[in-house]
Amino acid sequence: MILDLFFPNRCIHCSRIIDAELLVCSLCFEQIHFTHFDYSGDHIIKEKCKLMFPVENTYALMKFEQDGLSQKIIHELKYKSRENAGNTLAEWTTERLDLKDKKPDLLVSVPLHPKKLKERGYNQLHLFTEALSKFYDIPFDHEIIQRNHYSKAQALKDKKNRLETVNPFSLSKPISGKHILLIDDVFTTGNTVSSIAWEILNAGDNRVSILVMAVDV
C-alpha cells in the first residue's frame, strides 16, 4: 500500500520497521516479561483477590513495568487508538493460557463510563475480549456491567484515591448461576475487579475468575 511506503509501521519500542499487523519487532518481543502464571494455581493476583472476594482462577499475561515495554503496549491500545493491539494481546494470551476444563460461562470486561467511551471512541478491552471469545468459544457480554461515575483514568490516580471510590459499578441485567471471567487491562490494587466481582457475586449463585493483560504489584 502507498501509505505503508510513506508511513511504515514501526516497533513501538525501538522504531524498527515491522509488518503492519505487529506491535513490536522480534528482538523487542524477547524483552516482554510474560508471567507464565498457572491459571488455577496460587500466585500474587490470586493471593490479593482472595483477601477481597471469593475468586476461582486468576491470570495475568505480562508483568507491568512503569515506563517499560508492557506499559507501552497497553498504552498503544488504551490511549493511541491502536485497536489491533487488542487482537495481538489476545493472540499472546491464547498461546499461553489453556483453559482446559476450567472454561467460564461468560466473558465480561471492565466498562468505561459512557462519557469516557465517547471521548475515547472505543473500549480498549472490547477487541481483546471479543478475540478471546472467538478463540475459546465462550460468549461475551459488554452490557452486563455499567460504570456509574465518570472519573479521570485509573492510571492518573494515586492508590489512596482509587481505594476511596465507592460503588463505581452496578449490574444492568440479572445474572445467576454463571462462572464469569472478568477482564481488565492492569491489576494494581485490585479495587476495580473487586468492586465488579461483588456485584456479580451478590446477584446470585455466581462465580468469578480474573484475567488481566498485566499485573503491577
Side-chain angles (χ1 to χ4, degrees), residues 84-98:
N84 68 309
N87 289 321
T88 299
L89 286 162
E91 180 180 346
W92 293 347
T93 301
T94 58
E95 289 171 351
R96 291 162 178 80
L97 175 59
D98 186 354

Side-chain angles (χ1 to χ4, degrees), residues 106 108 144 171 173-178 180 199-200 203-206:
L106 187 67
V108 174
I144 196 169
L171 288 177
K173 62 179 75 171
I175 183 170
S176 182
K178 299 293 185 181
I180 307 296
E199 291 295 323
I200 294 171
D205 184 24
N206 298 311

Side-chain angles (χ1 to χ4, degrees), residues 7 14 30 34 37 39 42 55 61 64 69-70 75 79 84-85 124 162 171 173 183 190 192-193 199 215-216:
F7 303 100
C14 71
E30 297 300 322
F34 295 106
F37 282 169
Y39 176 63
D42 291 326
V55 66
L61 175 64
F64 186 86
L69 184 50
S70 59
H75 279 207
Y79 300 115
N84 68 309
Q124 75 276 7
R162 270 178 271 176
L171 288 177
K173 62 179 75 171
I183 298 171
T192 295
V193 294
E199 291 295 323
V215 56
D216 178 18

Side-chain angles (χ1 to χ4, degrees), residues 15-28:
S15 297
R16 288 187 180 92
I17 295 175
I18 54 177
D19 291 344
E21 71 275 8
L22 299 178
L23 289 177
V24 296
C25 68
S26 58
L27 292 177
C28 290

Side-chain angles (χ1 to χ4, degrees), residues 109-199:
S109 54
V110 174
L112 294 174
H113 187 273
K115 183 178 179 181
K116 181 66 65 65
L117 182 61
K118 185 176 180 180
E119 291 173 354
R120 193 172 293 173
Y122 71 104
N123 184 327
Q124 75 276 7
L125 292 174
H126 281 183
L127 281 180
F128 179 67
T129 300
E130 290 164 16
L132 293 178
S133 171
K134 183 176 181 180
F135 179 86
Y136 291 120
D137 192 25
I138 302 171
F140 63 87
D141 190 332
H142 295 325
E143 309 298 328
I144 196 169
I145 298 290
Q146 62 184 18
R147 187 184 288 265
N148 298 323
H149 308 294
Y150 174 81
S151 62
K152 62 183 178 180
Q154 288 286 326
L156 301 179
K157 296 181 179 181
D158 59 35
K159 290 186 178 181
K160 179 180 178 181
N161 287 335
R162 270 178 271 176
L163 291 170
E164 287 177 351
T165 303
V166 178
N167 298 325
F169 303 97
S170 61
L171 288 177
S172 60
K173 62 179 75 171
I175 183 170
S176 182
K178 299 293 185 181
H179 180 190
I180 307 296
L181 181 59
L182 179 58
I183 298 171
D184 201 2
D185 49 15
V186 180
F187 184 103
T188 305
T189 64
N191 191 51
T192 295
V193 294
S194 178
S195 296
I196 297 175
W198 277 117
E199 291 295 323

Side-chain angles (χ1 to χ4, degrees), residues 13 65 80 176 198:
H13 193 52
E65 297 166 317
K80 297 186 179 180
S176 182
W198 277 117

